[in-house]
Amino acid sequence: MPGKPKKACIVGSGNWGSAIAKIVGNNAARLPQFDDHVTMYVYEEMINGKKLTEIINETHENVKYLPGHKLPSNVVAVPDVVEAAKEADILIFVVPHQFIRTLCSTLLGKIKPTAIALSLIKGFDQAEGGGIELISHIIKRQLKIECAVLMGANLAGEVADEKFCETTIGCKDSRMKPVLRDLIQTEYFRVVVVDDEDAVEVCGALKNIVACGAGFVDGLNLGDNTKAAVIRLGLMEMIKFVDLFYPGSKLSTFFESCGVADLITTCYGGRNRRICEAFVRTGKSIKELEDELLNGQKLQGPYTAEEVNFMLKTKNMEDKFPLFTAIFLICTGKIDAKELINCIKNHPEHM
């Protein structure tokens, strides 16, 4: 039926998934083109002897990942991903990137063939035989549906607090653009849609590597001038990476929210910066700090640094990306964090 209201499903319920559920739930209830029943796939956990899905559905609050924020009552937590997704016309993926292949193989053949996807996942996956694969490409290939991406300077807590911010949707399909923009945009969450899908997504992954570098700078008490140098050199390496591996992207995309804005906010806030600062100050491993400080959330930066390094090493290009390479080596304990400053001093940009 043309014009039938479209159903949305949020696949994931961490702090970012829950913040987006708040937006999507309110828009679905308000706008006639969407079905007001929104499902949210929640990985089932026990919280003080009670199921997390039951707590969310009774109290309309994700007490574990977004405490203190009410979710709209039309957002229903579902512990089975197939059950959550089977009726959906729009699937919004917002899970740690390590889980995407498993989720897609679970959903294959169980969703509407006409469904479209939007990925909010910041990170890459290792491609078979080396290199990296974009998450949206995995979703497209495994589920055989179109997949756009959303990336931006969007710290989940601030979005949930309804503090003004911008975001970028990368979408090539002109029919999908207005649907996705209407579902996501609010007075405080402004959407710009661009065609440059791959560059938008790559920015969202690579900035987490640079944020690790910013965290090392903070841990070493090197100050804001040094951090600014890391951000600038990081942006240069991001642009070079996209030019080399995803040619045809527009430079203007790096000046959208998904590019320089997201890079800045992640290097001053966000979990990658915080954990990498603690890594330098405490001497504990990244894994220990992730377990200790993130309340079950996953860190993306060090994993992304590893995946990017795997690709650079395979293509003998580590020396072309000295900042990315140094951050990978520090995260894995191969060199001391203090070596970061030498890497910056000797960066080809300064030669």
Side-chain angles (χ1 to χ4, degrees):
M1 273 173 62
K4 194 177 176 188
K6 293 186 165 36
K7 282 180 181 276
C9 167
I10 295 144
V11 182
S13 57
N15 64 341
W16 187 210
S18 301
I20 281 294
K22 192 177 161 187
I23 288 173
V24 169
N26 283 327
N27 280 346
R30 188 173 59 84
L31 298 169
Q33 64 267 44
F34 300 108
D35 190 301
D36 64 2
H37 180 83
V38 175
T39 53
M40 177 170 73
Y41 163 60
V42 175
Y43 177 76
E44 193 69 278
E45 299 176 63
M46 299 303 288
I47 310 285
N48 300 326
K50 197 161 186 183
K51 290 177 177 173
L52 181 56
T53 50
E54 286 177 6
I55 297 171
I56 292 171
N57 289 335
E58 285 167 19
T59 67
H60 308 296
E61 182 182 350
N62 187 336
V63 291
K64 177 154 188 191
Y65 295 111
L66 198 67
H69 292 278
K70 283 288 178 200
L71 297 177
S73 57
N74 59 316
V75 174
V76 179
V78 181
D80 178 320
V81 71
V82 171
E83 190 61 34
K86 68 181 182 186
E87 298 287 317
D89 301 291
I90 304 156
L91 293 162
I92 299 168
F93 287 92
V94 53
V95 292
H97 76 275
Q98 299 91 319
F99 303 137
I100 195 64
R101 286 181 196 272
T102 312
L103 275 174
C104 285
S105 58
T106 306
L107 288 172
L108 181 60
K110 312 276 175 59
I111 58 169
K112 287 186 175 179
T114 52
I116 59 173
L118 178 67
S119 172
L120 278 60
I121 300 170
K122 293 181 175 178
F124 298 125
D125 208 43
Q126 275 195 13
E128 286 158 23
I132 56 177
E133 190 166 16
L134 299 187
I135 302 301
S136 66
H137 292 192
I138 294 170
I139 294 168
K140 279 180 193 173
R141 191 185 68 250
Q142 288 198 224
L143 291 180
K144 301 172 177 55
I145 59 174
E146 282 303 307
C147 182
V149 295
L150 180 149
M151 305 281 152
N154 308 143
L155 296 174
E158 293 181 16
V159 174
D161 285 337
E162 301 189 10
K163 292 174 177 170
F164 179 84
C165 71
E166 303 171 312
T167 200
T168 312
I169 290 179
C171 179
K172 289 193 183 88
D173 187 326
S174 56
R175 293 164 309 164
M176 285 170 66
K177 286 176 184 177
V179 177
L180 295 175
R181 190 184 57 236
D182 290 350
L183 187 61
I184 297 291
Q185 182 154 275
T186 71
E187 280 298 308
Y188 64 88
F189 195 67
R190 305 310 282 177
V191 175
V192 174
V193 186
V194 300
D195 292 336
D196 212 354
E197 267 176 27
D198 288 354
V200 169
E201 184 167 3
V202 174
C203 281
L206 294 181
K207 57 96 195 184
N208 283 329
I209 304 178
V210 186
C212 292
F216 299 145
V217 167
D218 290 340
L220 294 163
N221 296 317
L222 291 172
D224 283 338
N225 295 341
T226 307
K227 194 192 278 194
V230 166
I231 292 171
R232 186 186 78 84
L233 294 168
L235 181 61
M236 299 300 285
E237 291 196 9
M238 285 166 64
I239 293 169
K240 186 192 286 188
F241 189 92
V242 171
D243 273 352
L244 271 172
F245 298 113
Y246 299 92
S249 295
K250 301 182 187 80
L251 187 63
S252 59
T253 302
F254 293 92
F255 297 95
E256 296 293 348
S257 183
C258 61
V260 67
D262 196 8
L263 181 61
I264 292 166
T265 197
T266 313
C267 287
Y268 279 92
R271 64 186 90 148
N272 290 285
R273 188 216 61 79
R274 183 162 60 100
I275 296 293
C276 287
E277 178 183 1
F279 173 78
V280 175
R281 295 197 190 279
T282 64
K284 292 178 179 175
S285 74
I286 297 278
K287 179 77 182 78
E288 284 175 284
L289 291 163
E290 188 181 51
D291 293 344
E292 250 175 62
L293 301 176
L294 289 189
N295 188 31
Q297 291 174 277
K298 291 290 175 203
L299 202 61
Q300 301 292 8
Y303 298 110
T304 305
E306 187 176 351
E307 284 151 2
V308 165
N309 185 261
F310 185 72
M311 186 168 181
L312 296 177
K313 204 172 203 163
T314 311
K315 299 193 182 297
N316 205 20
M317 283 186 174
E318 284 177 298
D319 59 333
K320 286 191 171 14
F321 295 88
L323 184 67
F324 289 174
T325 302
I327 290 165
F328 162 71
L329 293 172
I330 294 165
C331 284
T332 49
K334 293 184 174 71
I335 63 171
D336 193 271
K338 293 188 185 75
E339 290 297 312
L340 183 69
I341 202 70
N342 290 327
C343 144
I344 296 168
K345 282 181 195 164
N346 302 319
H347 199 281
E349 273 285 301
H350 299 142
M351 297 301 164

